[in-house]
Amino acid sequence: MGDGNVRNRKYTEILGIKIDALDMASSLEVIEGFIRSRTPHIVVTADSYCVTLAQKDRELREIVNSADLVTPDSAGVLLAARLNGTPFAERVSGVDMLVLLCERASRLGHRVFLLGAAPGVAETAAKNLTKRFPGLKIVGIQHGYFGPDETDAVIKSIRDAQPDLLFVAFGIPMQEKWISKHKDVLQVPVAMGVGGSFDVLSGKVKRAPEWMQRYCLEWVHRLMSNPRKISKVMTLPAFATMALGAAAAKRLGLKPRR
Ligand code: UDP
């Protein structure tokens, strides 16, 4: 593991998932340190869906709990932490981090690789990012619909491009599992799953308005823009029930069943 696990980390645990108690600015600084170290690191942005999935998916849970940086990425996770008596400073979302990291990358000369989303989407996202941050070095783009027989070629293209930052947009948990499986051979200082971020940055999908995000209503927006997201949305009541149960158990001094 890189220096992510030797630095003095302060976590907040949500349903057995360790999430770093850092704000956006500190998270960006930590990532800067990963880049300087030149060794591979995994960054996970944990939303309510990720935390719920990790309850049953042991592989995902182990990946998240051994990642070098895990950020709180949904209003639900923020609310659960507040109920727990250990509030986070702010939401640190994947799409916001991606944009801020690209802004830094354009100033500091870091190399960026975009992997994932439907053919053409990452290209449009890249164009929009370079328009916004002139000088940004996007050293590779690859869509996320390649077959298992093409994986070696994709890995080679990433290795050859030598990015400092690899953003992987396959959705949870596929992106985290893919990064974890190939991390050692990829040798990228920072690999981070960014879900539907390329869809948003390309303009293909609109992000939920700020007020919806603040009031835990992002799911309404997601469902309205893509009814196929129903299976993801259906996990939210389970998350809310578990988070409320954990907070009540904590207040009553009961130990979690895990
Ligand atoms: N995707 C991909 N390859 C796949 C399946 C999905 O590249 O085999 C992409 C998909 O096109 C989308 C992203 O992964 O851009 C998943 O977005 P979603 O909003 O579902 O992810 P979330 O942010 O909810 O994790």
Side-chain angles (χ1 to χ4, degrees), residues 116-118 144-145 169-172 174-175 194-196 199 222 229 232:
Y145 291 85
F170 296 160
I172 294 168
M174 192 167 134
Q175 58 200 22
V194 292
D199 296 329
R222 285 184 157 215
K229 292 231 169 199
K232 271 190 187 172

Side-chain angles (χ1 to χ4, degrees), residues 9-254:
R9 290 172 73 173
K10 193 168 162 252
Y11 302 107
T12 286
E13 207 169 304
I14 306 291
L15 301 171
I17 301 304
K18 289 178 184 157
I19 302 179
D20 288 273
L22 292 176
D23 61 9
M24 177 62 89
S26 310
S27 301
L28 296 177
E29 280 309 311
V30 167
I31 292 176
E32 202 57 55
F34 294 165
I35 296 176
R36 276 197 300 270
S37 80
R38 307 312 304 160
T39 55
H41 294 80
I42 298 182
V43 178
V44 173
T45 69
D47 61 8
S48 315
Y49 178 65
C50 175
V51 172
T52 308
L53 217 58
Q55 303 303 300
K56 287 202 176 136
D57 186 333
R58 189 177 170 168
E59 185 189 350
L60 176 65
R61 186 164 65 241
E62 286 175 359
I63 293 169
V64 179
N65 279 342
S66 62
D68 300 281
L69 175 68
V70 184
T71 70
D73 186 9
S74 72
V77 166
L78 258 61
L79 193 60
R82 205 180 312 151
L83 286 173
N84 227 3
T86 51
F88 289 110
E90 62 181 336
R91 182 176 175 196
V92 182
S93 83
V95 65
D96 290 336
M97 248 199 303
L98 195 173
V99 171
L100 291 168
L101 285 168
C102 284
E103 187 274 325
R104 278 182 171 229
S106 70
R107 281 190 284 113
L108 303 174
H110 297 325
R111 299 160 68 83
V112 173
F113 197 112
L114 305 183
L115 169 64
V121 173
E123 276 87 352
T124 310
K127 261 186 217 141
N128 292 341
L129 283 166
T130 40
K131 214 183 288 167
R132 198 159 157 195
F133 307 119
L136 176 65
K137 287 185 202 151
I138 298 193
V139 296
I141 298 172
Q142 164 65 48
H143 68 73
Y145 291 85
F146 55 90
D149 52 327
E150 294 165 291
T151 301
D152 286 349
V154 170
I155 288 174
K156 185 176 180 313
S157 73
I158 298 170
R159 279 178 60 99
D160 290 350
Q162 299 189 333
D164 300 295
L165 294 153
L166 170 65
F167 297 113
V168 184
F170 296 160
I172 294 168
M174 192 167 134
Q175 58 200 22
E176 282 72 24
K177 291 182 181 179
W178 196 91
I179 291 171
S180 171
K181 186 170 174 196
H182 302 297
K183 173 188 157 191
D184 291 335
V185 58
L186 286 168
Q187 285 297 314
V188 178
V190 179
M192 171 172 146
V194 292
S197 298
F198 299 168
D199 296 329
V200 171
L201 294 171
S202 70
K204 188 178 165 220
V205 168
K206 285 238 169 338
R207 205 175 170 187
E210 196 83 26
W211 69 268
M212 275 194 163
Q213 295 181 40
R214 210 168 328 120
Y215 291 105
C216 292
L217 291 173
E218 203 165 6
W219 63 273
V220 177
H221 182 269
R222 285 184 157 215
L223 206 53
M224 282 185 333
S225 38
N226 184 357
R228 279 185 303 171
K229 292 231 169 199
I230 186 74
S231 59
K232 271 190 187 172
V233 168
M234 289 304 282
T235 63
L236 292 177
F239 175 80
T241 309
M242 286 188 289
L244 279 170
K250 191 175 176 192
R251 275 185 200 187
L252 294 169
L254 303 172

